[in-house]
Structure formats: structure tokens, C-alpha cells
Amino acid sequence: MNIATWNVNSLSVRLPQVLDWLAANPTDVLALQELKLTDDKFPVAAFKEAGYQAHWFGQKTYNGVALISRTEGVDLVKNIPGFEDEMSRVIAATYGDLRVIGAYFPNGQAPDSDKFAYKMRWLDALRDWVKDEMTRHPNLVLMGDYNITFDELDMWDPVGLKDTIHCTVEEREKLQALTDLGLTDSFRLFEQPEKSYSWWDYREFGFRRNRGLRIDHILITPALKDRATACVIDRAPRKNERPSDHAPVVLTLGD
DNA sequence: ATGTCACTCGCGGAGTGA
């Protein structure tokens, strides 16, 4: 089965691309981030017509997340329980014995900003909740736009971008707190092309020059690690006429 | 190059966020 995550940077704009991509890449569960639309504007009919179910958690202008799936999910959770948040960033559901959490992590703006402090608090709350979820769900996927790189391999310019947003020690410590729960970065389980990134700035011909970051991740529990057979970043949609700045990341699981 | 894109408010284009 295929599990995927994609920050679409406005689902209204990118819906045709998402439907095209699903038609070409049959996917069991696709997590979307940055819907940038309210719940009443979610294109549920278009997904239904394409043979997909959906759960969504929208917000005006900013954020917004969804899970698109072949079968309907149960035990739906929106945002991090117990963590007060005005922003729609997390959606979780269970498909068979698979627990899926889709998340749009805070950007953080700059290391000395209020938004960075919020990012740190949010990451602490996420860790505590995911730890709890893992006690109930041995087969768990935590995927989305993390807005954090793991290391220099995930950066097009490790020297110039050292300690900048998405690449600070503080953010990486919080990311490690997630992997310390026993979660694995599925992308690095497999041999990957050099300079693999999942996001490229729209400016400065970032994609064409492959000046990107790998900030979209699929983390998995040990039971799923045993089933993982591939994880790839699909750069094809980034070559579309009006692309998202992110590319989808796809994990393949065997039985 | 402060370089692009998507959104809001509200009807032109500045302001915000990424």
C-alpha cells in the first residue's frame, strides 16, 4: 500500500493537480497540508467522484489539513488534544490497523520570533500526544510538512543556511524527541538520490537550481519499519505549470 | 535583487505569511 503527504499550498488552486496525481499514483492515504480554505469549501464531491473518502480540518486563509483515503477512517482527531490552538494543523484517523497522523508543523518564521516560541510549544505538545497514541497504535504513521530538516543532507546550502529557520539546533532537538519515541525517518531507510529535497522556494528559480530543503517527512513505528519497501519524493508535480512549492513524499508498505 | 505565490479586503494594490 502507498501512504503519502503533500503540502499543496491552497487546495482550491491545486485540486486538479491533486486529482491528476491520485489518478496516476493510486494512494491508500494521502495527507494534505495548507488547504487554505474553510470546511464548507472543501471539495468533498470531487474526491468522492475520484473514488476517495476524505476527512478535513480547514481554516480561512491559512493552514488546514486533510486525509484523503480509499476507505473511510475512524477515531478522528483534530489538532493535538489538550493543546489550545486557533490553527488547524493536525488530523488523525485509523484505517484498519493503521493509525495515520497528518500534520502541518508551524513554520516558526525566525529563531528569535514569537512564532518560533509557539513552534517549540507545539512540538512539545505533539510529542506528548504521539507518545500516548503509540501506546494504543503499534502501526502508526506521522507525516506532513514538518518545517524542520534533520541534518545537512536535507539542505541545499548547509553553510549558508546554518542555524536559519528549519535548520536550527532547537528545532532538530524537538524532531529528535519524536524519533526518540521510536519513530523512524522512512526516507533514510532507503538509498536516495543526492540532494533530495521536498520544498523549493518559488523565488530565484529554486526548483530549477535544486535549491531546496527536505522538510516533509514520513515517520513510522518499528512495526511499520519492518513493512516499508520504498520511500520516494515525487518531483513530477513540482514541474507543473502552477505548482505547489512542495513535492509529495510517498511511502510504500508491504504486507 | 526585498527576487514568488496565495490569500484578505474589496475593487487597486498594500499587507501578511510562507
Side-chain angles (χ1 to χ4, degrees):
Chain A
M1 70 191 301
N2 291 321
I3 311 293
T5 178
W6 191 5
N7 179 325
V8 291
N9 184 19
S10 169
L11 184 57
S12 304
V13 173
R14 235 65 70 185
L15 179 62
Q17 292 184 39
V18 174
L19 294 172
D20 285 351
W21 188 83
L22 282 172
N25 303 275
T27 302
D28 293 274
V29 185
L30 169 63
L32 300 176
Q33 300 90 40
E34 280 206 85
L35 307 182
K36 294 187 174 179
L37 45 73
T38 47
D39 282 342
D40 57 302
K41 300 270 188 358
F42 186 87
V44 59
F47 286 115
K48 281 258 160 72
E49 242 173 79
Y52 284 91
Q53 310 286 317
H55 298 291
W56 60 96
F57 183 30
Q59 184 185 326
K60 189 179 177 183
T61 313
Y62 307 117
N63 311 308
V65 287
L67 294 172
I68 313 299
S69 55
R70 281 296 185 190
T71 63
E72 194 152 353
V74 297
D75 295 333
L76 204 67
V77 172
K78 294 173 181 178
N79 268 353
I80 304 165
F83 182 77
E84 280 286 324
D85 198 346
E86 291 173 5
M87 307 190 201
S88 304
R89 296 190 173 279
V90 178
I91 188 163
T94 300
Y95 304 88
D97 66 352
L98 183 69
R99 184 63 165 169
V100 176
I101 304 174
Y104 176 46
F105 290 45
N107 177 288
Q109 200 169 54
D112 59 352
S113 67
D114 290 346
K115 286 175 181 154
F116 190 87
Y118 161 73
K119 183 176 194 171
M120 296 293 103
R121 289 194 298 113
W122 187 94
L123 284 160
D124 285 338
L126 179 75
R127 180 204 165 272
D128 291 347
W129 174 59
V130 169
K131 182 181 183 183
D132 188 49
E133 285 277 297
M134 285 173 70
T135 65
R136 292 187 294 277
H137 304 286
N139 300 309
L140 182 143
V141 178
L142 175 62
M143 62 179 165
D145 176 359
Y146 281 60
N147 273 315
I148 307 175
T149 54
F150 276 94
D151 52 41
E152 297 194 348
L153 282 181
D154 297 343
M155 307 159 69
W156 71 272
D157 180 9
V159 175
L161 295 174
K162 187 173 158 55
D163 297 328
T164 61
I165 194 66
H166 313 313
C167 307
T168 65
V169 173
E170 292 93 328
E171 291 165 283
R172 287 176 179 170
E173 281 174 353
K174 300 298 185 190
L175 182 51
Q176 195 190 323
L178 290 171
T179 56
D180 283 348
L181 296 176
L183 296 172
T184 298
D185 173 17
S186 59
F187 188 74
R188 294 290 179 213
L189 288 174
F190 306 96
E191 195 170 325
Q192 300 292 354
E194 272 185 57
K195 304 183 194 306
S196 285
Y197 310 121
S198 65
W199 170 87
W200 303 259
D201 201 302
Y202 282 122
R203 294 168 289 190
E204 303 177 270
F205 304 104
F207 181 69
R208 210 159 77 187
R209 299 154 93 174
N210 197 28
R211 295 185 167 188
L213 298 174
R214 190 175 71 98
I215 53 176
D216 300 86
H217 306 298
I218 303 179
L219 268 55
I220 53 177
T221 50
L224 291 182
K225 185 180 169 187
D226 293 340
R227 289 171 52 191
T229 58
C231 183
V232 300
I233 296 171
D234 184 358
R235 295 162 57 100
R238 194 60 173 76
K239 298 168 185 167
N240 286 338
E241 199 166 320
R242 265 180 96 184
S244 166
D245 42 355
H246 294 254
V249 185
V250 184
L251 168 69
T252 305
L253 296 171
D255 305 322

